[in-house]
Amino acid sequence: MRVEHLRDIAIIAHVDHGKTTLVDKLLRATDAFRANQQVQERVLDSNDQERERGITILAKNISIEYKGVKINVLDTPGHADFGGEVERVLRMADGALLLVDAFEGPMPQTRFVLRHAIDTGLSIMIVINKIDRPGADPEKAYNDCLDLMADLGATDEQLEFAMEHVVYASAMNGFARLDPNDGNMDMYPLLDMIVDDMPAPEVDVDGPLAMQCVTIDHSNFVGRIGIGRVYSGTIHDGDNILVVKNDGERKTAQVKQLFTFDYLGRTECKEVGAGDIAAVVGIDSTDIGDVYTDPENPVELDPIEIDPPTLSIVFEPSTSPLVGRDGDIVGGRQLKERLFNERENNVTMKIEELPDKTGVEVSGRGILHLSVLMETMRREGFEFQVGRPRVLFKQDSNGNKMEPVEQAVVECPDEYSGKVVEVFGNAGGIMTNMDASGTVTHLEFKIPTRGIMGLKNRIMNVTHGEGVFYHTFLEYGPFAGDIGGRNNGAMISMTTEKAVAYALGTLQERGQLFVEPGTECYEGMLVGERSKPGDMVVNIARTKNLGNQRSSTSDISVQLVPPRTFTLEEALEYIVDDELVEVTPKHIRLRKRLLNAIDRKKAAVRAANMSK
């Protein structure tokens, strides 16, 4: 039976193609806000980092009402590092809006989210966004979407539905059109198409209760909150239910509070019927994939599998000489508690303490996935240090070593394409496609995740900042052998002092600096990159010896090039195995694991003897 007063739809797209802005305009079109209400742009990007980075990190669901129909809208992340959110959330939907930039067309991560939507069996409606952008080609973007759906194995029914249901929009300007030039200036054609043509939930209204938890929320007051769609029956506040876990374990629990989604918030209610999305309080230690069902007539649902993590990083308490200057929380015990608390809320990460208790290993889907956690923690006042990201290998059924492989796409001016191919070749990449139409060359590569680290910076250098670079996890493939790392050595401070302009003026002739005059440095800290291989210990506090023939001010003006600064992701990609990133609320510093130069030499001798 179809529940005609409900629609459950997901919005899927590549990063920055306008999903969250589109949801804003749908909310405004259905009078979700009071006339005098001050509402920020991208209202669903409630997390500080989401607003700063301009990306969606956490999947969110809202509901809007139009023509008597409640539309549950699921806003999904576009970045593959947060793919664990996408895979699960699509299970709650019957249809999806595939949002594509009219200028860029389908991008690598469009392929990633669309593959999941097709595999889930959703009806897909194409929304060509940003049709007012200069250089936009809506028809080409539409045809490219259909080609991509066919490549990904869409069924005939899905392709027919997509061909008949296309909307041309500008989310920024708040209009949707059935034809790019029809002059309509509101969102109602899109809303009408959702209500009239998107399938209503097909559920068993009178059957036994069956609800599957696909998202976990957490409250300090009530603990874990399980969110999911009710597939059959009705769930009531106070019900005694059977909880069936992914591994088959069963236990009973009582629903203590029940919520449904209402515009931007949740509304407490007494019951939620089949086809709607509910938030349930009272199920202790509930997890992704848990099925809430009738104890007397249990219903079985397929377990939810989340793609495994591909990278891990070890978090350790900071051992820097400057520890405690910026942050309030520096202890190992507090660091461990904070990460274990994250394990409760973030099921897409695997978080385990190391056997020797020296740190906590955190595994995720990519560097961005891991760096978002680090950025959150530094804003909370934590100081800690992390090592180089380590790729997680697997073995296939024959015992062969397998490693994660990414699909990388670069678009750059024609004259730089040869250099880009050379950079990828040195990093273990294999070119799979090349399209040199017009003045821009489109290049696609398969490359091990190990080779991706630090690659963006090199691509930007060889394309003089004009390249566009995206990558997304593709599959586990055969181990590709040794891949060259950073070629240049580091400049390492020999003392714990403030950097002096005179010393930096002589050092910048040897390479690129990371610090400026007055920066507090310590022994073992990386202060620059050499232009040659091999590390070099330097004195960043050296001053000019003054003779009686010179005045102390005659050579005071030293011309310094601005230092290179690192974001958290860039720092993680830059370091090598014997280096660490020190993260504090105010600073990101690079350092050697062993701060003392003599200790580093002893360790190098030991490593050389062991290799013999």
Side-chain angles (χ1 to χ4, degrees):
M1 173 181 173
R2 292 197 179 273
V3 184
E4 293 298 337
H5 67 278
L6 283 173
R7 299 290 184 277
D8 296 329
I9 61 165
I11 301 186
I12 57 176
H14 180 81
V15 178
D16 202 32
H17 277 198
K19 296 183 301 300
T20 307
T21 307
L22 184 77
V23 174
D24 268 13
K25 294 303 189 283
L26 292 177
L27 284 163
R28 291 177 190 278
T30 53
D31 299 325
F33 309 120
R34 299 189 311 274
N36 63 344
Q37 189 172 349
Q38 295 293 314
V39 182
Q40 62 189 12
E41 285 187 5
R42 302 197 326 273
V43 67
L44 278 196
D45 282 348
S46 50
N47 179 312
D48 285 346
Q49 289 194 63
E50 289 181 318
R51 301 194 65 75
E52 289 166 20
R53 295 171 186 262
I55 61 173
T56 299
I57 293 172
L58 302 170
K60 305 173 191 71
N61 41 304
I62 59 160
S63 77
I64 54 180
E65 192 158 317
Y66 181 68
K67 290 186 174 178
V69 176
K70 180 181 179 182
I71 306 171
N72 287 311
V73 182
L74 313 168
D75 182 19
T76 63
H79 203 289
D81 281 21
F82 309 105
E85 300 276 334
V86 179
E87 296 158 41
R88 305 192 313 268
V89 163
L90 291 180
R91 284 180 170 245
M92 294 196 285
D94 298 296
L97 303 183
L98 172 63
L99 202 66
V100 176
D101 188 309
F103 176 77
E104 295 181 349
M107 296 294 280
Q109 293 172 16
T110 313
R111 171 182 287 270
F112 167 79
V113 288
L114 182 58
R115 184 195 303 132
H116 285 300
I118 288 171
D119 292 347
T120 311
L122 303 185
S123 299
I124 295 163
M125 183 185 293
I126 297 174
V127 180
I128 306 298
N129 193 26
K130 304 188 185 181
I131 61 170
D132 52 349
R133 179 176 172 178
D137 189 344
E139 287 304 318
K140 182 178 184 302
Y142 168 60
N143 290 326
D144 288 347
C145 288
L146 294 177
D147 290 344
L148 180 59
M149 288 180 66
D151 286 348
L152 295 175
T155 63
D156 291 343
E157 291 80 7
Q158 286 174 318
L159 283 168
E160 284 176 19
F161 188 89
M163 290 170 71
E164 294 169 5
H165 298 89
V166 58
V167 174
Y168 301 93
S170 169
M172 183 62 72
N173 293 309
F175 66 77
R177 298 171 178 173
L178 301 179
D179 181 276
N181 303 311
D182 68 14
N184 181 65
M185 292 304 293
D186 57 44
M187 298 300 295
Y188 297 121
L190 175 57
L191 287 164
D192 286 333
M193 194 178 282
I194 291 170
V195 168
D196 296 341
D197 299 331
M198 274 290 189
E202 188 165 355
V203 290
D204 184 356
V205 176
D206 301 319
L209 169 66
M211 170 183 166
Q212 190 163 34
C213 174
V214 299
T215 306
I216 299 288
D217 199 357
H218 188 272
S219 162
N220 292 332
F221 303 104
V222 297
R224 285 192 168 199
I225 302 169
I227 300 171
R229 172 166 148 172
V230 182
Y231 291 98
S232 71
T234 304
I235 188 167
H236 301 85
D237 187 10
D239 274 357
N240 288 313
I241 59 173
L242 179 68
V243 180
V244 183
K245 297 203 156 291
N246 269 348
D247 60 4
E249 181 192 342
R250 299 179 171 219
K251 63 178 185 179
T252 55
Q254 185 179 29
V255 178
K256 293 178 180 172
Q257 276 181 297
L258 191 61
F259 296 88
T260 188
F261 290 86
D262 182 23
Y263 287 102
L264 288 170
R266 293 182 195 148
T267 303
E268 190 167 358
C269 56
K270 293 298 179 187
E271 64 176 48
V272 178
D276 208 349
I277 295 170
V280 179
V281 175
I283 318 300
D284 292 336
S285 65
T286 190
D287 224 328
I288 298 297
D290 286 1
V291 177
Y292 307 157
T293 185
D294 187 330
E296 295 179 5
N297 300 296
V299 177
E300 290 189 8
L301 296 174
D302 293 335
I304 293 178
E305 293 183 12
I306 301 170
D307 277 1
T310 57
L311 282 179
S312 74
I313 287 183
V314 174
F315 285 65
E316 303 169 9
S318 179
T319 55
S320 161
L322 303 180
V323 67
R325 298 274 184 96
D326 298 343
D328 306 320
I329 312 171
V330 298
R333 182 178 56 80
Q334 292 108 313
L335 179 68
K336 186 170 79 171
E337 284 176 1
R338 170 66 180 82
L339 290 169
F340 282 2
N341 187 41
E342 184 71 19
R343 184 169 66 180
E344 286 291 305
N345 306 335
N346 192 339
V347 294
T348 58
M349 282 185 171
K350 186 179 177 186
I351 300 175
E352 295 174 330
E353 189 170 14
L354 294 177
D356 60 4
K357 311 289 186 186
T358 56
V360 178
E361 185 176 43
V362 179
S363 305
R365 290 288 288 272
I367 289 210
L368 181 62
H369 192 199
L370 295 163
S371 70
V372 164
L373 170 61
M374 294 179 207
E375 183 65 37
T376 303
M377 289 174 63
R378 72 186 286 229
R379 293 180 185 203
E380 293 169 3
F382 281 87
E383 282 194 32
F384 53 92
Q385 62 193 30
V386 292
R388 189 185 188 204
R390 185 174 62 84
V391 166
L392 299 176
F393 298 104
K394 293 201 309 190
Q395 286 192 333
D396 64 8
S397 54
N398 299 321
N400 299 318
K401 191 176 185 181
M402 308 287 281
E403 69 174 330
V405 176
E406 312 243 345
Q407 180 193 27
V409 174
V410 177
E411 292 185 344
C412 65
D414 289 346
E415 62 264 32
Y416 304 131
S417 58
K419 289 282 188 186
V420 170
V421 173
E422 184 182 335
V423 168
F424 271 91
N426 293 335
I430 300 169
M431 188 164 68
T432 57
N433 188 25
M434 181 176 182
D435 180 10
S437 55
T439 58
V440 175
T441 301
H442 177 92
L443 301 159
E444 294 184 17
F445 300 87
K446 282 178 70 174
I447 180 170
T449 300
R450 289 180 296 141
I452 284 286
M453 292 186 210
L455 201 62
K456 185 171 185 178
N457 211 48
R458 279 177 268 165
I459 296 296
M460 290 299 121
N461 285 339
V462 298
T463 61
H464 295 213
E466 294 185 53
V468 178
F469 175 52
Y470 292 107
H471 61 94
T472 183
F473 173 74
L474 186 64
E475 61 191 1
Y476 266 84
F479 180 65
D482 290 335
I483 292 174
R486 192 174 79 211
N487 296 323
N488 297 356
M491 297 184 202
I492 306 161
S493 173
M494 64 167 62
T495 57
T496 301
E497 293 180 80
K498 287 187 178 180
V500 173
Y502 176 75
L504 298 180
T506 58
L507 291 175
Q508 73 178 4
E509 298 168 10
R510 306 285 192 90
Q512 190 176 30
L513 295 173
F514 301 160
V515 296
E516 59 188 0
T519 303
E520 284 203 69
C521 302
Y522 54 82
E523 182 184 10
M525 178 174 155
L526 272 60
V527 293
E529 180 185 280
R530 286 188 74 188
S531 51
K532 298 178 181 178
D535 292 343
M536 178 174 70
V537 178
V538 299
N539 183 359
I540 44 82
R542 186 162 71 92
T543 55
K544 186 163 190 172
N545 293 324
L546 299 177
N548 58 4
Q549 289 85 17
R550 293 173 182 263
S551 77
S552 60
T553 57
S554 62
D555 292 330
I556 203 163
S557 59
V558 178
Q559 295 295 317
L560 290 176
V561 177
R564 177 178 171 185
T565 57
F566 290 90
T567 64
L568 204 43
E569 293 98 75
E570 289 167 349
L572 293 169
E573 291 183 337
Y574 180 81
I575 58 172
V576 294
D577 289 336
D578 69 335
E579 294 168 357
L580 298 169
V581 178
E582 179 195 345
V583 183
T584 79
K586 295 179 183 174
H587 296 98
I588 295 168
R589 302 185 184 101
L590 309 183
R591 52 163 283 185
K592 287 292 181 183
R593 186 174 286 279
L594 298 174
L595 297 178
N596 185 274
I598 296 173
D599 292 343
R600 291 197 295 275
K601 286 180 181 176
K602 288 179 179 176
V605 170
R606 280 197 301 270
N609 290 336
M610 288 177 67
S611 64
K612 291 176 184 177

